[in-house]
Every structure is written in C-alpha cells, then in structure tokens.
Amino acid sequence: MKEVLIIEPFCGGSHGQLIQLLSTDEEIGPKCDKVCLPAKKWQWRARTSSLYLSQVIPYSNTFKVLFASSVLNLAELVALRQDLSGLKKILYFHENQLVYPVRKHQERDFQYGYNQILSSLVADVLVFNSIFNMESFLSSIPSFLKLIPDHRPKNLVSQIRPKCQVLYFPIDMKVACKISKGNSVEGIQSNSINSTVHGIKREQPIVELDFAHETDSEAHLNNLGYGVDDRNTDLSFEIKCNPDDVSYQSSKNSGCQKDISKDMYQEQHVGDDVYHQMFAFQHSSSAPESSSTFDKMFLKWDPRALNDRSLHIVWPHRWEHDKDPDSFFSALFQLQQENLSFNVSVIGETFSAVPEIFKTARLRLGDKVKAWGFQSREDFLAILDAAHVVVSTAIHEFCGVSMLEAVARNCYPLCPYRLVYPEIYPKECLYSTPSQLVKRLKRFCQRPQSVNTSLCKDLIEQFSWDQLREQYRTLILTKT
C-alpha cells in the first residue's frame, strides 16, 4: 500500500534528481506514488499546475504523507482536493521567489512569491536546501507583503518559522564522485530524466503517474522514454505523447505505454523554427549550411581537443541572467587580452531566450572553447573530470548543485562572496569583486599545477545521499 504521495510540477534539473533519489530509495520507493509534470514553462507550472494535478492525482485512503516542491501552489491543491488536507504536507524549497533578482526596468511578478507564502501557511513542514534559502525567505516576507496596497496580513513569519528546517540537497556520490582520472567516464549510467538533441535539452513531454514501484532497471528505462510494464497494480494509464493534449486512458492490466513519436521532440526550450532545423540536422549525415546559429555554435565535448598544459575552466550553469554570464565572460576576455593560455567549457542548460553575451563570447573565445551548450550526462561528468576550476558568478543561488558535483569530481570552486556560497565553501574559494575573480584566474592560468583540487573534498561529504538518506527517510516516512 502506498502511503507517500510525491508531487513535482517541474520535474527536471535538481528537482528531477531529488525525485529520482527518493523514488528509487529502498525504503521510500516502495511506499510512494509520484505525480510529475515535465520541466517546461516554469511560470505556467507555478501558476496553474495545482488545478491540473487536482484532476489527475489518484484518490486513495492509504496516503499519509504528501511531499511536493514549492513550485506547487499547495494551498490551491488542498482546497481543490480536500481529501489531501489531512495528510502530513511537506513542502521542499529548492529556491524561493521572494528574493529572485529581476532585471532592470522589470517588475517582480508578485504572484510567485505570494503563492509560496500561502503554501507555507498550509504545509505542515517546510524544508529548505540551505540556511541562506530559509533565512532569505523568512526575512523577506514582511517587506514583500508591503507591496500589497492595503489590508496587509501580519505576523506570518511567527506562524511559518516553527515549521521550517534545513536539509541539504542530496548528491548521489556513486554518480557524482570522480571515478576515473581519464577523460572518459566508464560504467556510469545516466540518471537524468532528460536527454539531448545536438546540445539542446529536450524533455519527455509526459506526465508520469507512477502507481507501481519500479525496479532500478525499470526506472532507468522509464527515464529514457521506454514503456515499462506496470505489473503491480490493477489501474494503469496509457500515456499519449501529444504535447498539446496529454490524455489518459484507464485500463485494466494494460500496462503503461508511451507513444514516442516526432511530436515528442517538439517539447524544446527553443522555438518551433529552430526545432525544425534541429530535427533535420539530427537526421542528416552532415550539418546543412542552413542549420541554425545555435547548431553551428554548439560544440560537443571531445577530450582529444583539450590542451592539457593549459588551465581548463568550466561554467556549468543555466544560460540565464540570474547566473550573471556577463561577469564570467568579462573575466575571460581580460585573460584573453593578456594572452594567457586557458581552455573553457560552457555547458549549462539552455532555454528559448539566451542572453546575447553567449553568442558574442562563443565567437570571441574561438578555439579556447572545448565544449559549448548542454551536454549528455556522461560528457558533463567527463568535462568536470578534465577541468581544473569551476566558476560561479551567480546573483541567484540557494544551493548550487552543479557546483557541488564539480567539486565532487575534483574541480576547484571559485564563487562570489554572497548568497549560499559562504555557507558551503571556505574563504579561499570566495571572491568579493570581479577584479578578484580575474586575479585568481590569472594566477591559475600562469600555474595550473598550483590548483589545489582536493581543498574542498571533505565538505562534499555532508551533501552525499549516504549521509542524508536517514534524515530524508525520517522526514518522509514519519506520518505525523
């Protein structure tokens, strides 16, 4: 009997990694059903997913615990599905929207933060992935509510704080830790829910309704998009992979079949025109002259192209303004002007609106670029293996999973002295100004052998799934 209902309206990235770890755990997995939506159109997921989920979450009198990320408007869901109100409701904050850095001349969307406050009032337990995440959320509530013109609610922090706790994001060290010292990763299977088409991330446009516990191999096949026989339940669904109309057909013992078709590839972060070029590019023997600008700029990882004598810098973040790519590339341009030798791999996740600086940097850095664009999981890990330094310039970060994975594979972290980073990394790894970042990188370029890649090796252990597993089990499997 399933006692735990896991809900993820945006099942990708770190959100997907956490769901994967929980649902495959030998104690949590057999007791949970999970309802997940693909990681696309985050704004719409935050605004509207509760109504849709209220229609597809199964009715069950065995559920005792509900676990969801803060993307979900929990208040709306519980109002729509009052049978869920009596469950122990756990809300996990990968991030909070009260301190999200909006761009200049752009107004903050009040609704996202307001939804998280409402959800916090309805939840029984609030879990944050860092102290910084928790404290920035709580301390921002009073000023955030001042945006309401009148009749403002009061004393909400005193109601919410007692429910809060910090539980670090778990890293699967069997995958994340450095296994080989070469440039290839052998024997590692990707646990990612996503795959790549010429470096641009695509998702499975599938709502996953997991009413039966999967074996590890079955879960892996599911993540790769293959159908898995749903043997352990009488109720199953045929899932039609039409991105515009995901339909469900209840059947008895029919199994869960996924109709993988060309429609599936259209669920990109990129536009339709770019998609058509990508699809043609994928199925041609060579890239056509008319392939998109992004196709031409994408560079797949090839360890043979790496100059082992030069410093290898990796930037593994989302290609969005809150990761401040301008500051990162500005530092590299200064190194380039001084004729310093270095390699760089820029391998973060891409979306439809890519900042212009990426096009400029790709052309300007030329053959110093060794990988460009979203890579396969295996190549991502291989790039980390081959890198000396991993850099963050973020102005919005509550945990930094890709940074932690890079450090687990012996990269030296250089992080700004702000956000969550002082909570995690020693002072030696922090810089306060852009000029300090340039100075550190310049020194490493001159002496790559001086990079102490083992400096942060011990701190990573506190984020390992082996260390955190029992805390997560207690959190989720304790019914009250």
Side-chain angles (χ1 to χ4, degrees):
M1 297 202 317
K2 304 303 177 69
E3 299 179 348
V4 179
L5 173 63
I6 296 179
I7 303 173
E8 180 49 71
F10 193 80
C11 195
S14 60
H15 294 234
Q17 289 181 43
L18 180 59
I19 297 302
Q20 177 76 7
L21 281 173
L22 297 179
S23 61
T24 56
D25 178 69
E26 60 184 13
E27 291 192 16
I28 298 174
K31 298 180 180 180
C32 76
D33 277 341
K34 59 183 187 291
V35 182
C36 303
L37 301 181
K40 58 169 299 209
K41 294 181 172 58
W42 180 92
Q43 293 88 342
W44 284 105
R45 294 287 190 259
R47 289 190 183 109
T48 66
S49 62
S50 56
L51 177 57
Y52 179 77
L53 290 168
S54 71
Q55 298 179 328
V56 299
I57 290 173
Y59 285 84
S60 173
N61 57 11
T62 65
F63 289 142
K64 306 298 181 184
V65 177
L66 185 157
F67 180 96
S69 78
S70 61
V71 175
L72 175 71
N73 188 329
L74 184 61
E76 285 185 347
L77 179 64
V78 170
L80 292 165
R81 286 288 303 271
Q82 295 185 23
D83 58 303
L84 304 176
S85 64
L87 307 186
K88 175 187 175 182
K89 297 174 288 296
I90 305 168
L91 198 66
Y92 191 93
F93 281 75
H94 292 268
E95 64 283 313
N96 80 73
Q97 290 300 308
L98 301 193
V99 294
Y100 185 83
V102 295
R103 281 172 282 188
K104 200 172 183 179
H105 307 306
Q106 177 184 353
E107 292 186 3
R108 180 182 301 279
D109 192 319
F110 182 81
Q111 195 64 42
Y112 301 136
Y114 185 66
N115 287 354
Q116 289 189 329
I117 293 174
L118 288 179
S119 295
S120 298
L121 292 168
V122 171
D124 299 300
V125 182
L126 306 178
V127 182
F128 295 82
N129 58 4
S130 66
I131 297 172
F132 169 74
N133 193 358
M134 181 178 73
E135 291 300 335
S136 65
F137 178 74
L138 294 172
S139 63
S140 298
I141 290 175
S143 59
F144 184 82
L145 293 177
K146 287 182 180 179
L147 296 172
I148 301 175
D150 56 13
H151 301 289
R152 303 182 187 107
K154 299 179 180 179
N155 304 320
L156 297 189
V157 176
S158 62
Q159 298 178 48
I160 294 173
R161 182 177 283 277
K163 306 177 183 182
C164 296
Q165 61 178 271
V166 173
L167 188 52
Y168 283 132
F169 184 91
I171 304 294
D172 186 355
M173 292 300 178
K174 294 177 182 177
V175 174
C177 281
K178 186 169 178 138
I179 294 178
S180 65
K181 295 184 179 180
N183 290 325
S184 63
V185 180
E186 298 178 358
I188 299 178
Q189 286 186 323
S190 172
N191 287 327
S192 174
I193 295 178
N194 306 296
S195 57
T196 58
V197 180
H198 290 278
I200 299 180
K201 185 176 181 180
R202 68 172 173 85
E203 305 103 342
Q204 315 290 6
I206 298 167
V207 177
E208 182 180 2
L209 294 173
D210 182 19
F211 300 126
H213 176 57
E214 303 166 330
T215 65
D216 290 343
S217 59
E218 287 172 340
H220 182 62
L221 288 172
N222 248 348
N223 291 339
L224 294 176
Y226 297 98
V228 176
D229 184 16
D230 193 1
R231 305 175 187 87
N232 298 329
T233 180
D234 290 332
L235 180 64
S236 59
F237 289 83
E238 181 180 351
I239 302 179
K240 302 289 187 181
C241 292
N242 184 340
D244 299 319
D245 182 19
V246 180
S247 59
Y248 305 89
Q249 299 176 358
S250 180
S251 59
K252 289 282 186 177
N253 296 320
S254 63
C256 179
Q257 299 175 346
K258 301 182 182 180
D259 179 20
I260 306 300
S261 65
K262 178 179 176 179
D263 288 341
M264 179 176 178
Y265 291 89
Q266 293 181 344
E267 289 301 315
Q268 302 285 344
H269 289 303
V270 295
D272 290 339
D273 291 341
V274 177
Y275 153 71
H276 287 301
Q277 294 178 25
M278 283 171 46
F279 193 82
F281 182 82
Q282 180 192 15
H283 292 281
S284 64
S285 58
S286 60
E289 290 296 321
S290 61
S291 62
S292 70
T293 301
F294 194 97
D295 287 332
K296 291 177 181 178
M297 289 188 169
F298 172 72
L299 183 62
K300 189 180 186 301
W301 168 247
D302 182 359
R304 294 171 297 181
L306 189 66
N307 180 356
D308 292 332
R309 296 182 180 179
S310 298
L311 183 74
H312 185 191
I313 304 166
V314 62
W315 196 83
H317 311 285
R318 287 183 287 107
W319 291 20
E320 293 188 298
H321 81 281
D322 63 304
K323 301 305 180 185
D324 195 12
D326 294 81
S327 293
F328 173 68
F329 289 122
S330 177
L332 295 191
F333 296 157
Q334 291 186 56
L335 299 179
Q336 191 176 33
Q337 287 176 353
E338 297 188 33
N339 294 318
L340 293 168
S341 179
F342 64 89
N343 300 308
V344 62
S345 294
V346 180
I347 54 175
E349 183 179 2
T350 56
F351 297 89
S352 56
V354 174
E356 186 66 22
I357 185 62
F358 285 93
K359 179 180 178 180
T360 302
R362 178 70 174 89
L363 297 173
R364 186 166 172 179
L365 293 171
D367 61 5
K368 292 185 180 296
V369 176
K370 302 307 174 184
W372 191 266
F374 193 86
Q375 309 286 318
S376 70
R377 180 64 173 172
E378 289 78 8
D379 283 346
F380 173 80
L381 296 176
I383 292 167
L384 298 184
D385 278 350
H388 298 96
V389 177
V390 59
V391 176
S392 172
T393 47
I395 56 176
H396 178 244
E397 192 64 83
F398 297 106
C399 179
V401 175
S402 62
M403 291 292 292
L404 291 171
E405 289 185 322
V407 173
R409 300 185 82 87
N410 287 353
C411 290
Y412 185 100
L414 282 177
C415 315
Y417 191 73
R418 58 175 177 256
L419 308 173
V420 72
Y421 297 120
E423 180 181 335
I424 298 176
Y425 300 101
K427 289 183 178 180
E428 296 91 329
C429 300
L430 306 176
Y431 62 89
S432 297
T433 65
S435 61
Q436 288 183 5
L437 172 61
V438 173
K439 185 177 180 180
R440 296 291 298 279
L441 288 175
K442 181 178 178 180
R443 186 186 310 156
F444 287 153
C445 285
Q446 294 168 339
R447 298 182 59 194
Q449 69 276 11
S450 68
V451 180
N452 183 7
T453 57
S454 63
L455 178 64
C456 299
K457 189 174 181 179
D458 293 338
L459 72 83
I460 286 298
E461 191 59 31
Q462 66 182 316
F463 295 93
S464 74
W465 177 238
D466 288 341
Q467 290 288 324
L468 295 170
R469 180 189 291 112
E470 289 304 321
Q471 296 180 61
Y472 275 93
R473 287 175 176 174
T474 299
L475 170 72
I476 293 174
L477 298 179
T478 303
K479 302 177 183 61
T480 57

